[in-house]
């Protein structure tokens, strides 16, 4: 059995595959980050896009997602802020919080795996409709 992350119910809000127009690299990265972080933290993907902070678990997951976009994918603070509808200073704060938490070996290992998984998911084309 293969897990198709593009059809995961947590990501029903994501734009469907449109063969008529190319998907942007930023949208693929965002979806890959949301899929991976939501799976690891056990939250709904839509929680990462909410305008409010939410529960502490969701806020931490969002900070991890912003960290991955900035550090793992190489987006600028401004680009990452636009991606998550936050200010660049919020992204900078999130990156600082996550860097501080990397002292925990388990958390650091989880981030290492996410940093590996996100680019792999972003490069994988979504399945074609049948």
């Amino acid at each position: 059995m293969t897990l198709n992350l593009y059809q995961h119910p947590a990501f029903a809000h994501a734009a469907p595959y449109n063969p008529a127009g190319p998907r942007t690299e930023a949208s693929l990265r965002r979806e890959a980050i949301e899929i991976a972080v939501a799976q690891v933290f056990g939250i709904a993907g839509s929680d990462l896009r909410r305008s409010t902070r939410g529960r502490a678990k969701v806020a931490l997951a969002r900070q991890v997602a912003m960290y991955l976009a900035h550090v793992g994918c190489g987006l600028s603070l401004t680009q990452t802020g636009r991606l998550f509808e936050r200010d660049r200073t919020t992204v900078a704060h999130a990156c600082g919080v996550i860097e501080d938490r990397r002292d925990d070996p388990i958390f650091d290992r989880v981030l290492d795996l996410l940093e590996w998984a996100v680019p792999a998911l972003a490069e994988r084309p979504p399945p074609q409709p049948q």
Side-chain angles (χ1 to χ4, degrees), residues 6 21-33 69 72-75 79 83 118-119 121-124 126:
Y6 292 101
R23 297 171 77 183
T24 66
E25 187 175 333
S27 70
L28 290 173
R29 285 181 180 169
R30 185 204 76 223
E31 288 176 27
I33 290 168
C73 295
L75 298 178
Q79 291 170 323
L83 203 60
V118 166
L121 285 171
E123 291 175 12
R124 182 177 164 201

Side-chain angles (χ1 to χ4, degrees), residues 111-124:
L111 280 178
D112 284 343
L113 293 171
L114 282 169
E115 287 174 347
W116 170 84
V118 166
L121 285 171
E123 291 175 12
R124 182 177 164 201

Side-chain angles (χ1 to χ4, degrees), residues 10 22 35 39 44 46 48 53 56 60 73 77 92-93 110 112 119:
I35 289 168
Q39 288 288 316
S46 59
L48 294 175
R53 182 181 183 277
L60 177 62
C73 295
L77 293 173
H93 172 74
V110 167
D112 284 343

Side-chain angles (χ1 to χ4, degrees), residues 26 29 69 74-85 88 91:
R29 285 181 180 169
L75 298 178
S76 71
L77 293 173
T78 302
Q79 291 170 323
T80 303
R82 283 189 195 127
L83 203 60
F84 289 93
E85 299 173 4
R88 64 180 176 76
V91 176

